[in-house]
Amino acid sequence: MKFFLFTTIPAFLTVEKSEWGYLGSNGPAYWHQLNETYATCKSNNQQTPIDLKVEDFAKPTKIELDVIKQTDLILLNNGHTYQVQRSEGTIDKPALYEDATLKVDGETYYLLQYHFHMPSEHHIEGRDLLLEGHWVFKTSSDQNAKFAVLGVFFDLGEREDPGLKSIVDIINEKPLGANEHVNISISLSEQIFKSVRTVCIYALLTTPPCTEGIRWFVSQDVQSISPPQFRSLKYVLKYNSRFTQKRLDGGEPTSNEPP
């Protein structure tokens, strides 16, 4: 089954007094009040996530994904989601994985990390899906760096997703505590690293500080996740999605702040 969609990605912060979350008084409706650096979470620019329409994807953008070789990776619980990145770097500043790239319009982006939201943050024609993965890329230069995010949806099916197997195996053995990490053996080539046709928009991040000017790409294909994989991920991710936002073209949200 194929759908078309946009996506988003979180910013990763160290724990602080104004720590944000997804429920209650530090949930998405209050992010802009928690810290002055989060003010853009209530700006007039296009917020994310949004409800997506099939006609949004009439003109797909082709991107090129590639993995040159494998490297040591870690799986960590950053307090908001489970995230995969290189063993070097920190939670809020992962090291570039220069052998995993996204190329588009003659420009190369390098993988920083990838993580998951449950349920999906974006909707398709008013419907959310079980899981949304965000693969976050950055140009090599720290000065005037550009960011790109590839979003992939997962929905329930008979087949397990091979790219999620190593993550689920670790969760089943012992879930990670906040800011805890473990080494992980994982094949990125079993993830979404292949040539795909996507669409692109410029929008804000779905998490504080709601950074502007992010280039989002979204895969057409919805990946299959097995019931056991879903149960394991649900156990640790719980609820970690921002509710949909009003579209600049007038489209209304299809979900609201949870109680």
Side-chain angles (χ1 to χ4, degrees):
M1 179 183 294
K2 289 190 176 182
F3 290 99
F4 302 88
L5 53 157
F6 299 121
T7 58
T8 54
I9 169 178
F12 298 103
L13 307 174
T14 55
V15 177
E16 57 183 39
K17 183 177 180 181
S18 60
E19 182 63 81
W20 55 273
Y22 289 99
L23 300 171
S25 60
N26 69 341
Y30 304 99
W31 285 346
H32 64 288
Q33 299 175 357
L34 297 177
N35 188 310
E36 61 182 8
T37 64
Y38 302 168
T40 51
C41 295
K42 202 176 182 179
S43 76
N44 292 324
N45 293 323
Q46 179 64 71
Q47 297 284 331
T48 51
I50 59 175
D51 182 38
L52 303 163
K53 308 299 180 183
V54 171
E55 54 265 30
D56 292 332
F57 310 94
K59 296 181 179 180
T61 300
K62 185 175 181 179
I63 64 174
E64 208 174 299
L65 296 163
D66 191 26
V67 177
I68 300 173
K69 64 181 181 181
Q70 299 301 310
T71 190
D72 293 332
L73 299 172
I74 61 170
L75 175 69
L76 65 88
N77 175 357
N78 67 12
H80 303 297
T81 185
Y82 269 49
Q83 176 175 306
V84 177
Q85 64 180 62
R86 288 183 60 182
S87 55
E88 300 88 347
T90 62
I91 290 178
D92 57 333
K93 192 174 182 180
L96 280 181
Y97 181 12
E98 295 186 343
D99 290 324
T101 61
L102 181 155
K103 297 178 182 178
V104 60
D105 298 334
E107 192 155 32
T108 300
Y109 297 80
Y110 303 92
L111 183 66
L112 275 177
Q113 48 87 357
Y114 64 94
H115 60 271
F116 302 94
H117 295 274
M118 185 174 283
S120 69
E121 295 200 298
H122 292 84
H123 289 192
I124 307 172
E125 298 289 354
R127 174 185 172 233
D128 61 1
L129 289 93
L130 290 183
L131 182 71
E132 186 172 344
H134 293 156
W135 278 256
V136 184
F137 297 81
K138 173 182 172 290
T139 54
S140 58
S141 173
D142 284 332
Q143 187 174 6
N144 300 318
K146 299 178 184 178
F147 291 85
V149 181
L150 173 63
V152 179
F153 280 121
F154 298 80
D155 214 4
L156 204 61
E158 296 181 359
R159 296 178 294 103
E160 70 173 16
D161 184 273
L164 296 178
K165 185 179 187 308
S166 297
I167 296 173
V168 171
D169 286 347
I170 289 174
I171 292 171
N172 289 341
E173 182 175 343
K174 182 186 177 183
L176 302 176
N179 298 318
E180 185 179 1
H181 72 272
V182 296
N183 295 330
I184 186 169
S185 176
I186 198 165
S187 173
L188 289 178
S189 60
E190 291 182 333
Q191 306 270 334
I192 41 71
F193 281 79
K194 55 187 177 181
S195 293
V196 295
R197 289 171 63 83
T198 63
V199 291
C200 171
I201 58 167
Y202 288 91
L204 280 68
L205 293 177
T206 56
T207 57
C210 303
T211 306
E212 300 177 289
I214 307 299
R215 195 174 190 184
W216 301 107
F217 297 94
V218 182
S219 172
Q220 300 179 31
D221 299 308
V222 176
Q223 306 298 316
S224 171
I225 183 174
S226 69
Q229 286 183 320
F230 166 71
R231 288 192 293 269
S232 296
L233 289 166
K234 178 66 176 175
Y235 180 74
V236 296
L237 295 178
K238 305 185 189 307
Y239 183 96
N240 68 336
S241 295
R242 188 187 192 188
F243 55 92
T244 55
Q245 307 293 302
K246 184 180 179 65
R247 294 171 54 130
L248 294 185
D249 62 8
E252 293 297 327
T254 52
S255 66
N256 298 300
E257 171 84 356

